[in-house]
């Protein structure tokens, strides 16, 4: 198998090379930028590219996907420190050519990713799947909140008490308390502090409006 190391960290290249060289029939070539990588793929499309996307000069995931479509026989192992949920979702759901593993993963996971790619199979690390599933659960939670509950959680994040919220909404304290309980249950939180953190992460409340 022909491997192309598209990673600009010397220590990572050294470690990956040692994993690959356990099979003497493997060949290893290196690339430091997209232009060089394209040239190597033109010479041998049947390759496994070990790519640190975060340190390479791809403009965005769309450009990476276009290159992968052009070289349809190439397998890709994305080996990085950090990959955003947006990037993971776009790449994993768009193409089966990409395996995903993180530099902080156990050595066995990295070895499994390399071997899977060499055999034409995709490997997605547990951490990558957990990040995708976690984001999916958060998106599902957003859908179950009613418009009234959204307004109330924003008010809570702004530091308003149950009494103040009830007065503003011309509702009883009991009604607002019930809404609070329903919000906490739907978001899977137990305190107002946790609900506020959730609202900030979800972008429902601007940080400048957050009551400290």
């Amino acid at each position: 198998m022909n491997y192309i190391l598209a990673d600009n960290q010397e220590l990572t290249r050294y470690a990956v090379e040692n994993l690959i060289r356990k099979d003497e029939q493997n060949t290893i070539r290196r690339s430091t930028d997209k232009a060089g990588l394209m040239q190597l793929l033109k010479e041998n499309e049947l390759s496994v590219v070990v790519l640190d996307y975060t340190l390479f000069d791809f403009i965005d995931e769309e450009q990476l996907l276009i290159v992968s479509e052009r070289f349809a026989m190439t397998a890709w192992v994305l080996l990085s420190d950090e990959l955003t949920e947006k990037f993971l979702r776009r790449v994993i759901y768009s193409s089966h050519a990409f395996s995903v593993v993180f530099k902080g993963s156990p050595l066995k996971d990295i070895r499994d990713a390399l071997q899977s790619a060499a055999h034409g199979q995709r490997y997605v690390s547990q951490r990558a799947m957990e990040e995708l599933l976690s984001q999916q659960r958060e998106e599902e939670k957003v859908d179950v909140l009613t418009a009234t509950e959204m307004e109330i959680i924003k008010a809570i994040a702004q530091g308003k008490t149950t009494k103040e919220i009830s007065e503003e909404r011309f509702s009883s304290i009991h009604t607002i308390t019930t809404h609070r309980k329903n919000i906490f249950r739907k978001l899977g939180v137990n305190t107002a502090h946790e609900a506020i953190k959730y609202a900030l992460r979800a972008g429902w409340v601007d940080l400048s409006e957050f009551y400290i």
Side-chain angles (χ1 to χ4, degrees):
M1 176 57 65
N2 180 58
Y3 287 85
I4 301 174
L5 299 187
D7 190 313
N8 291 320
Q9 283 187 336
E10 187 173 357
L11 183 59
T12 302
R13 289 200 306 269
Y14 176 79
V16 174
E17 283 186 21
N18 276 275
L19 287 175
I20 295 172
R21 289 192 188 282
K22 290 192 174 182
D23 185 343
E24 294 180 357
Q25 295 180 350
N26 292 329
T27 60
I28 303 174
R29 293 190 288 180
R30 303 167 192 80
S31 174
T32 57
D33 56 31
K34 181 169 64 67
L37 175 59
M38 296 279 285
Q39 183 58 44
L40 290 176
L41 289 176
K42 289 176 183 177
E43 297 170 5
N44 190 347
E45 182 178 347
L46 188 59
S47 300
V48 174
V49 177
V50 183
L51 170 69
D52 186 340
Y53 173 81
T54 58
L55 296 180
F56 228 62
D57 59 342
F58 282 101
I59 296 174
D60 54 25
E61 62 267 24
E62 293 297 331
Q63 188 178 74
L64 175 60
L65 287 169
I66 290 172
V67 173
S68 72
E69 290 174 1
R70 177 176 176 183
F71 300 100
M73 297 177 65
T74 302
W76 301 76
V77 176
L78 301 178
L79 179 63
S80 298
D81 285 321
E82 294 292 337
L83 295 171
T84 67
E85 180 275 331
K86 173 179 175 291
F87 175 86
L88 288 173
R89 183 183 296 272
R90 182 74 179 89
V91 171
I92 291 175
Y93 292 167
S94 297
S95 173
H96 285 275
F98 291 94
S99 295
V100 180
V101 67
F102 294 89
K103 289 185 177 180
S105 299
L107 190 59
K108 179 182 181 301
D109 289 358
I110 298 175
R111 184 183 293 110
D112 288 347
L114 293 171
Q115 292 177 348
S116 295
H119 289 86
Q121 300 172 347
R122 180 165 73 170
Y123 179 93
V124 180
S125 71
Q126 182 178 353
R127 175 181 163 187
M129 290 304 301
E130 287 175 350
E131 290 190 13
L132 288 173
L133 291 173
S134 176
Q135 181 64 25
Q136 181 178 340
R137 286 194 292 268
E138 290 199 7
E139 291 173 353
E140 290 171 352
K141 291 174 183 176
V142 172
D143 293 336
V144 299
L145 289 183
T146 66
T148 297
E149 289 167 346
M150 288 288 288
E151 292 174 0
I152 290 174
I153 195 172
K154 289 178 183 178
I156 292 172
Q158 292 166 358
K160 296 177 182 177
T161 65
T162 300
K163 181 179 179 181
E164 290 171 335
I165 297 172
S166 68
E167 291 174 349
E168 288 182 357
R169 300 187 61 83
F170 302 102
S171 301
S172 68
I173 291 179
H174 174 73
T175 298
I176 301 303
T177 299
T178 300
H179 280 309
R180 284 172 59 103
K181 290 180 179 179
N182 288 336
I183 291 169
F184 290 4
R185 174 179 56 80
K186 290 179 178 180
L187 299 184
V189 300
N190 298 304
T191 66
H193 178 68
E194 291 175 339
I196 291 170
K197 287 174 62 179
Y198 191 103
L200 288 169
R201 288 199 307 270
W204 301 339
V205 179
D206 188 275
L207 189 60
S208 62
E209 298 176 326
F210 176 47
Y211 176 79
I212 302 177

